[in-house]
Amino acid sequence: MSVIVAPSVLSADFGNLQRDVEMLNNSEAEWIHIDIMDGSYVPNISFGFPVLKAIRKHTKKVCDVHLMVVQPERYFQEFRDAGADVITIHHEAVTHLDSAIHQIKATGAKAGVALNPSTPVSVLKEVIHLLDLVLVMSVNPGFGGQKFISNSVQKVRDANELIHSTGSSALIEVDGGIGTNNAKQLIEAGANVLVAGNAVFGSDDPMLTIQQIKNAAE
Ligand code: DX5
Ligand code: ZN
């Protein structure tokens, strides 16, 4: 059972971003996870369109854009034009979730919805058939390098159950505090995509760490 690894460039060296993206290009990571934080939905500010465009210029990998932004509908087309392949929004950040998902899909991007640690999977019941991705947050959003919240493993099982019982084809992505120590249990619970920031970019051998996360359940 293999998983897609999505290294989060939030933990990359921004002074050497091209070098770090080229390292990912040579690695077994299929996706690159790009965290957009607006200082309002979450307490932190990360980066915006110019950085996404710069990453896009140097990679053919799937650009997986995670919007921690209030009223993200304002920016879907702009993120798509800047290179997003997948656009994920937070359940709490939009007033009309069904409409927002349709708006993402209208740009041609895949659509995901993220669930904070305190948000149950059941909020997705009425929209699960529309989704390409369910993002289970395994830390409170806002910062890299936080401790994994262990309840997230059950949340992945719950998401898996909802997806299978409804015939949805959504992938399950898990984000926050993931590394070689906990990848196996998440894959076994049903995760398809694992985000890793600190574990990859804080490693002495990032390409090896990516490979170890990818093959953690074998
Ligand atoms: C947190 C972000 C994560 C973060 C993960 O708000 O959504 O994608 O970059 O970083 P690590 O793997 O260091 O927890
Ligand atoms: Zn993220």
Side-chain angles (χ1 to χ4, degrees), residues 8 33 35 66 68 135 137 175 195:
S8 169
H33 186 80
D35 289 305
H66 176 192
M68 286 158 276
L135 174 51
M137 288 302 304
D175 183 9
V195 176

Side-chain angles (χ1 to χ4, degrees), residues 9-31:
V9 290
L10 189 63
S11 297
D13 176 354
F14 287 94
N16 290 289
L17 189 56
Q18 182 176 351
R19 181 201 67 191
D20 281 2
V21 171
E22 280 167 3
M23 179 277 290
L24 297 179
N25 287 342
N26 292 324
S27 78
E28 291 182 39
E30 288 102 330
W31 291 18

Side-chain angles (χ1 to χ4, degrees), residues 158-172:
D158 292 348
N160 202 19
E161 164 75 31
L162 178 65
I163 287 165
H164 284 105
S165 66
T166 55
S168 161
S169 53
L171 298 175
I172 301 174

Side-chain angles (χ1 to χ4, degrees), residues 33-36 41-42 64-77 79 84 86-105 107 109-116 119 123-124 127 130-137 141 173 175:
H33 186 80
I34 298 160
D35 289 305
I36 310 290
Y41 184 69
V42 288
D64 172 34
V65 174
H66 176 192
L67 298 182
M68 286 158 276
V69 170
V70 292
Q71 297 178 348
E73 313 85 297
R74 293 173 292 166
Y75 305 115
F76 292 155
Q77 192 60 55
F79 278 112
V86 182
I87 296 178
T88 296
I89 55 177
H90 274 256
H91 171 261
E92 288 85 357
V94 292
T95 307
H96 300 291
L97 186 63
D98 178 277
S99 168
I101 294 166
H102 283 288
Q103 288 174 53
I104 294 173
K105 292 172 90 163
T107 69
K110 304 270 189 215
V113 174
L115 301 173
N116 286 325
T119 307
V123 300
L124 298 181
V127 294
L130 301 172
L131 290 179
D132 299 299
L133 185 83
V134 174
L135 174 51
V136 174
M137 288 302 304
E173 180 175 40
D175 183 9

